[in-house]
Amino acid sequence: MSDEAPDNGEKLRLTVVEARRDDIGRGIVRIDPETLRKIGASPGDVLEIEGRAKTVAKAMPTFKDQRGQQVIQLDGVGRTNAGVALGQKALIKKVSHAVARRVVVAPLGAGALHEDEIEHTARRLDGLAVRTGDRVRIALFGGNHRDFNVMRTEPDGPVMIHPDTLLAVEGARGGEQKRAASEAEDIVTYDDLGGMEREVAKIREMIELPLSHPEIFERLGMTPPKGVLLHGLPGCGKTLLARAVAHESNAAFIYVSGPEIIQKFYGESEAQLRKIFDDARRRAPCIIFFDEIDSLAPKRERVEGEVEKRVVAQLLASMDGLKSRGDVIVMAATNRLNSIDPALRRPGRFDREIAIGIPNEHARREILEIYARGMPLAEGIDLADLAETTHGFTGADLNALCREAAMAALRRQLPELSLDSGPVPYEALMAMDVKMSDFTEGLSEVTPSGLREVSVEVPNVRWEDVGGLEPIKATLREAIAWPLSQPLLFEKIGLQPPRGILLYGPPGNGKTLLVKALSSQSNLNFISVKGPELLSKYVGESEQGVRELFARARHAAPCIIFLDEVDALAPKRGFDGRSPVTDRVVSQLLTELDGVEALGNVWVIAATNRLDMIDDALLRPGRLDFHLEVTRPDREARAAILGVHLRKRPLDERIDLAALADLTEGMSAAEIRFLCDRAALNAIRRIFPTTHGGVVDIGSLLIEQRDFDDALAAEAGASERPSQPKAVVM
């Protein structure tokens, strides 16, 4: 039941909650149909929402999952207009409205609008209910937006913008323009965050609640938390989250970049820091946000400069010294958590540390919806598919993807635009759209920035590119692709999917190719590690390399770690003459495979042609569960391999692949591929001009049976020819 429900049923007080993603920027609020009836309203009517200020919006019914809860779904701009925050109460009533004859708006932000932009703005405002003093937002390309203040309406009061409404744009002047630019920049709401529900909930209970309801903490006899440390990879939204919290909590916001504190004269750095905290106390409630705090407060035992040590000491004193901070909350962000002085990371200073991880598939879809909100998307674009194929992308990477897709669309349609005859016509602008092919082109330009050091890649190899080996393909699908696509099925039956697979067999039979195809077809990230490259001559570095490898794989999950030539990385321990480095590496590898820290969606696949050299502890179930032998291909597999390597080459119709498979008995997959390459070279040699001015008839180029016969003869001769001693020139 609502807090205040008058007898006349004309007003109600409802709790403000977040709007649906699809409703953001549309100027609507969603309310339970039963609540609408209580205030005498119907869908499409105009409602007045009153908090510390008043605004208007069109009423729409809520969906079934939000009914019966006495809430109103209001987006970030609407909350700003009404002066309410999430979780607060707002007074709702139906109001009469008129069709606007004229609306005067002023852009927030520098830069004037030309005529085409005014027409575009008018079309985007069509159907909005506004009143004088409201802020409205127009979505632009790549998740950007432009805000306007409603200066005047004719007639006065709540009005509905109509296609016949005259829109006038006032330009801000002088100091007003500068203030408008700063206001437009500061408006970041929770609507601009995607996939951060858990992080937002944690921060709201630590920051919004103490600032808005300090009496709760007084009653409980405790001091509210005063510090939050955000850590995670670059581009995951740490700064954006801090700006959204500052706006939604109606607190002043002071942004401090770590290096700008450091001054060259003695004592100036500490004075600069004290000035920031004094300014925050005067503007309380206030949030101080230290970006890149690892550069401001590094570990004191590891820095040589006295300035850094004094700055850290001053920061510690300002955060919990003798002088009270008041309603000042300190937030900080870093992507190097272990580089910060440990004295800062205790309760009372930074009370809570919140990890901002790489967004998962659901979060990536929400982020793409935010950034593509103002883009003219063509039919056939499925953002869910894009979210599925952008493993390892941070929010900044997805923003760059949308920008690159927009640039690709511009390049595609640029020849149709007449740029020499003044501004582009409005009709031509409206005809532009962004297609799926533009996003595909953008994907080739943008790499996951958070995983750039890891060389994470998705190989472009399909199952069809692997000839034969059908039983091993099926086993790999069952071990990895099935648990990833149907996790509930395995959970229901209580089966823990295998985490490790060992492929062994003679060299050149497709072990590496199998793993690449599995990664590509399962939409998994792929980290390839050659056995010896983790070994280092310095004590402890090899083990650290193994730890970092698995840590990065967890960040890139779902991910495959492929340990090629694993016998060089994990040989049997305890042999005389064996380096102790490999013994420690084996121990670290065993710990990572089944230690205390769970692997999650990380699979380890190892390959070797020396099974007898691998440490026995690595081969037991629970580590490398499945041992799959990749043998030399049989006749059917050889025919399939020949078909793979010859399918895109000009082949004589008389060539019989089955007969050719009989002639290649005993060859490995690599040898069959080399045979095809040698036959192709023989075909080129037959038609290549013997003189420098000759003309090549490319149309007559065909690989014939005689080319394969010559290649087989050369291969047989090379295998039978005894090795000759090399001549040494003295």
Side-chain angles (χ1 to χ4, degrees):
M1 199 68 184
S2 62
D3 290 352
E4 296 180 11
D7 296 335
N8 56 15
E10 294 181 353
K11 295 182 181 180
L12 286 177
R13 195 175 295 274
L14 305 177
T15 303
V16 177
V17 297
E18 286 187 86
R20 291 168 53 89
R21 294 264 170 210
D22 298 339
D23 296 339
I24 293 173
R26 294 175 56 193
I28 66 174
V29 294
R30 291 194 180 272
I31 300 177
D32 191 306
E34 182 63 29
T35 306
L36 284 176
R37 283 192 291 272
K38 287 183 179 179
I39 60 176
S42 302
D45 288 343
V46 175
L47 303 182
E48 181 183 81
I49 303 103
E50 181 180 357
R52 294 184 301 275
K54 294 181 179 180
T55 188
V56 291
K58 283 197 299 186
M60 295 296 287
T62 57
F63 290 87
K64 290 184 178 180
D65 57 343
Q66 291 284 351
R67 292 183 181 177
Q69 300 181 26
Q70 296 298 310
V71 297
I72 175 173
Q73 294 178 304
L74 189 62
D75 65 10
V77 175
R79 296 195 296 270
T80 301
N81 291 334
V84 292
L86 292 175
Q88 294 182 351
K89 302 286 185 178
L91 189 64
I92 314 299
K93 69 176 181 179
K94 177 185 174 182
V95 293
S96 59
H97 69 280
V99 174
R101 295 191 301 271
R102 184 170 182 265
V103 174
V104 181
V105 297
L108 293 176
L113 275 70
H114 59 71
E115 293 183 6
D116 287 339
E117 287 182 301
I118 295 175
E119 188 172 353
H120 172 66
T121 301
R123 290 182 181 237
R124 297 303 296 265
L125 294 178
D126 183 21
L128 287 183
V130 296
R131 61 181 296 164
T132 301
D134 277 356
R135 179 193 298 264
V136 292
R137 174 168 293 181
I138 304 299
L140 303 175
F141 256 26
N144 298 318
H145 55 261
R146 190 155 196 180
D147 290 0
F148 298 83
N149 268 344
V150 179
M151 309 301 292
R152 293 183 300 279
T153 64
E154 294 180 8
D156 197 13
V159 296
M160 184 82 72
I161 298 178
H162 190 266
D164 296 331
T165 301
L166 176 63
L167 181 70
V169 179
E170 275 189 1
R173 298 180 299 274
E176 294 179 0
Q177 186 177 13
K178 185 179 296 185
R179 178 172 53 82
S182 64
E183 287 178 0
E185 184 181 357
D186 289 340
I187 296 300
V188 178
T189 68
Y190 293 142
D191 298 337
D192 300 314
L193 305 175
M196 287 192 180
E197 292 83 2
R198 184 178 60 87
E199 291 82 1
V200 167
K202 285 183 179 180
I203 285 191
R204 286 190 62 202
E205 70 181 20
M206 289 193 62
I207 294 179
E208 284 190 29
L209 199 59
L211 292 179
S212 58
H213 298 287
E215 66 276 5
I216 297 177
F217 293 88
E218 292 176 5
R219 177 68 182 92
L220 294 174
M222 60 175 290
T223 303
K226 291 294 185 71
V228 180
L229 179 61
L230 307 176
H231 61 93
L233 293 172
C236 288
K238 302 183 291 293
T239 306
L240 198 66
L241 176 59
R243 290 178 58 192
V245 170
H247 173 71
E248 294 276 4
S249 59
N250 293 308
F253 186 72
I254 299 177
Y255 176 85
V256 182
S257 177
E260 73 183 22
I261 297 294
I262 306 299
Q263 305 292 324
K264 63 179 179 179
F265 295 111
Y266 188 88
E268 279 195 354
S269 303
E270 301 92 295
Q272 184 83 359
L273 201 55
R274 289 194 298 271
K275 180 181 177 182
I276 290 172
F277 275 87
D278 291 340
D279 185 27
R281 290 189 193 97
R282 286 193 297 270
R283 299 171 60 183
C286 183
I287 296 174
I288 305 176
F289 180 65
F290 290 99
D291 207 1
E292 306 298 340
I293 195 172
D294 53 279
S295 63
L296 178 65
K299 291 183 177 179
R300 285 171 287 180
E301 65 271 15
R302 293 189 180 179
V303 295
E304 297 181 0
E306 289 298 320
V307 176
E308 290 84 354
K309 295 179 181 179
R310 294 198 305 269
V311 167
V312 175
Q314 180 63 60
L315 184 59
L316 298 176
S318 299
M319 290 186 72
D320 68 343
L322 295 176
K323 194 172 182 181
S324 173
R325 258 196 282 169
D327 286 338
V328 175
I329 294 175
V330 179
M331 296 182 67
T334 181
N335 53 5
R336 301 179 61 194
L337 183 62
N338 295 325
S339 299
I340 300 175
D341 193 272
L344 281 170
R345 299 178 60 185
R346 71 157 176 80
R349 287 164 183 160
F350 286 122
D351 300 89
R352 183 171 291 182
E353 298 178 0
I354 300 178
I356 311 294
I358 296 177
N360 57 20
E361 183 179 338
H362 172 72
R364 291 195 298 272
R365 179 172 182 176
E366 289 190 356
I367 295 170
L368 283 170
E369 288 174 351
I370 291 171
Y371 287 129
R373 194 181 294 157
M375 300 177 69
L377 300 180
E379 293 292 333
I381 289 184
D382 191 349
L383 295 180
D385 287 345
L386 275 175
E388 186 179 351
T389 57
T390 49
H391 290 300
F393 277 60
T394 63
D397 297 326
L398 295 172
N399 187 10
L401 173 63
C402 291
R403 185 171 58 249
E404 290 296 333
M407 294 303 297
L410 177 60
R411 285 192 296 270
R412 176 171 49 82
Q413 299 169 89
L414 195 58
E416 303 173 8
L417 304 177
S418 55
L419 302 181
D420 299 331
S421 57
V424 179
Y426 182 77
E427 292 75 13
L429 288 176
M430 290 298 100
M432 296 179 66
D433 59 359
V434 182
K435 298 182 178 180
M436 193 64 188
S437 58
D438 301 320
F439 278 99
T440 304
E441 185 175 341
L443 282 171
S444 64
E445 298 290 336
V446 182
T447 57
S449 61
L451 305 171
R452 198 167 285 148
E453 304 172 352
V454 200
S455 299
V456 176
E457 59 172 336
V458 178
N460 189 20
V461 179
R462 307 181 65 83
W463 287 122
E464 296 80 15
D465 300 326
V466 183
L469 304 176
E470 297 302 328
I472 297 180
K473 290 180 188 177
T475 304
L476 290 175
R477 290 193 195 99
E478 294 172 5
I480 296 179
W482 286 8
L484 192 64
S485 61
Q486 298 292 337
L488 295 179
L489 191 63
F490 284 76
E491 184 179 344
K492 174 69 175 178
I493 204 170
L495 177 61
Q496 178 68 33
R499 292 297 175 196
I501 296 172
L502 176 65
L503 301 176
Y504 67 96
N509 287 312
K511 298 186 290 293
T512 305
L513 198 65
L514 274 170
V515 180
K516 287 185 176 182
L518 173 67
S519 173
S520 174
Q521 297 294 277
S522 305
N523 270 331
L524 301 173
N525 287 319
F526 183 72
I527 303 178
S528 178
V529 181
K530 284 76 178 175
E533 73 180 19
L534 288 177
L535 301 180
S536 171
K537 65 180 180 179
Y538 297 105
V539 176
E541 279 200 359
S542 302
E543 303 91 294
Q544 182 182 357
V546 175
R547 287 195 301 272
E548 290 178 353
L549 169 67
F550 279 85
R552 291 188 294 239
R554 291 185 186 95
H555 276 300
C559 180
I560 289 177
I561 300 177
F562 179 49
L563 303 176
D564 207 359
E565 305 298 340
V566 70
D567 53 280
L569 182 65
K572 290 186 176 180
R573 293 170 290 179
F575 275 77
D576 293 337
R578 183 80 68 191
S579 170
V581 175
T582 56
D583 289 358
R584 295 196 300 269
V585 168
V586 172
S587 301
Q588 183 66 46
L589 193 58
L590 298 176
T591 304
E592 294 291 345
L593 280 170
D594 66 345
V596 175
E597 192 170 3
L599 278 178
N601 285 332
V602 176
W603 288 268
V604 178
I605 301 182
T608 182
N609 51 11
R610 293 295 305 273
L611 183 61
D612 57 309
M613 297 285 293
I614 301 177
D615 193 88
D616 294 335
L618 199 64
L619 301 177
R620 74 158 175 83
R623 287 165 181 162
L624 295 180
D625 302 82
F626 289 174
H627 301 169
L628 305 178
E629 184 178 6
V630 184
T631 58
R632 289 187 180 272
D634 56 16
R635 182 180 181 277
E636 184 179 349
R638 291 196 301 274
I641 295 170
L642 285 167
V644 168
H645 294 306
L646 296 174
R647 65 187 173 192
K648 294 183 180 179
R649 301 186 183 186
L651 200 64
D652 190 354
E653 296 179 353
R654 293 170 292 181
I655 291 180
D656 185 3
L657 293 184
L660 201 56
D662 292 332
L663 296 174
T664 56
E665 186 175 358
M667 286 189 177
S668 66
E671 290 169 340
I672 293 174
R673 176 176 181 174
F674 181 67
L675 177 71
C676 295
D677 293 342
R678 178 171 281 186
L681 185 60
N682 290 340
I684 293 175
R685 189 180 293 124
R686 280 191 292 100
I687 70 166
F688 201 82
T690 55
T691 60
H692 289 289
V695 178
V696 178
D697 184 11
I698 298 180
S700 63
L701 179 59
L702 283 178
I703 304 176
E704 301 176 358
Q705 182 64 44
R706 54 178 168 171
D707 298 320
F708 282 103
D709 294 338
D710 292 342
L712 285 167
E715 185 71 21
S719 61
E720 294 175 2
R721 188 181 306 119
S723 59
Q724 299 293 329
K726 293 182 180 178
V728 180
V729 179
M730 300 298 291

